[in-house]
Amino acid sequence: MAAFELTPELVLGHAEMDATHEDFAAAVNAMCMAADTELATTLDALIDHCVAHFEQENAWAESIGFPGCHRNEHERVLGVMRAVRSELDNGDFGLGRRLAEELPVWFRHHAASMDAALAAMLKNGLTMADIDQAPIASPCGGSHACKNHDHEDGEHCHSHDGDGGHACDGSGGCHGH
């Protein structure tokens, strides 16, 4: 199996997170290169790494109100690792090898999505409250959150503030706000 390396798009610009991700890749690579007799030991080391790695990311996420789905994904992956570890005790080395092959696939998606968003927020000093209040491009072309005004989606009219002072002309634009 080819070595697992962090490609440039997986280097997120958050020094501590990037270093932890390098350590993750090294632990996965150790597992990939291990003989069957060492597979359980290398998986134990990977699990120990991931417990600390995930606890750190979870703490960062909690500090800024980042969604709990990030923590949940960490818990699911650790659960799989622990289940595979139990199977290694029963001699199922093929399952251990399969885990070593699949972890880089999972990690690439996880790092490019959840970790990238978390790293960007941490680097920029943002919290979820900042994101929730940020101006966004609305479906009606304004640079504000549509939840705060009326809009028409081409099929239905929506009045979110309850004032009823809107008009839909079928153009997809917002009127009367």
Side-chain angles (χ1 to χ4, degrees):
M1 180 176 160
F4 171 39
E5 296 180 22
L6 294 185
T7 54
E9 67 272 8
L10 296 178
V11 177
L12 305 176
H14 184 280
E16 191 173 353
M17 190 180 295
D18 289 336
T20 301
H21 289 171
E22 286 287 349
D23 293 343
F24 174 82
V28 170
N29 284 331
M31 191 176 164
C32 290
M33 304 306 284
D36 286 349
T37 57
E38 298 299 318
L39 200 53
T41 302
T42 58
L43 180 52
D44 288 340
L46 177 60
I47 289 170
D48 289 345
H49 161 82
C50 285
V51 167
H53 171 167
F54 296 166
E55 283 177 357
Q56 178 60 70
E57 285 187 10
N58 293 342
W60 286 329
E62 286 177 20
S63 75
I64 62 169
F66 200 76
C69 57
H70 191 234
R71 172 184 289 280
N72 295 343
E73 188 164 318
H74 288 160
E75 290 171 0
R76 281 191 297 277
V77 169
L78 275 173
V80 169
M81 288 183 199
R82 289 176 174 136
V84 169
R85 177 59 182 89
S86 293
E87 293 303 315
L88 287 177
D89 287 339
N90 298 326
D92 192 346
F93 301 115
L95 189 58
R97 299 264 172 235
R98 182 63 189 254
L99 176 65
E101 293 171 5
E102 294 298 328
L103 281 172
V105 175
W106 165 79
F107 180 79
R108 284 182 186 100
H109 175 74
H110 178 79
S113 58
M114 293 184 178
D115 287 353
L118 177 60
M121 290 180 69
L122 291 169
K123 288 187 308 186
N124 291 296
L126 298 172
T127 68
M128 286 307 295
D130 298 320
I131 301 300
D132 289 343
Q133 296 174 11
I136 60 171
S138 69
C140 52
S143 60
H144 51 281
C146 260
K147 67 183 180 182
N148 296 324
H149 69 280
D150 304 325
H151 73 273
E152 185 272 333
D153 64 10
E155 191 171 20
H156 302 92
C157 291
H158 305 276
S159 179
H160 294 284
D161 63 8
D163 72 357
H166 67 282
C168 294
D169 64 5
S171 69
C174 291
H175 309 284
H177 53 101

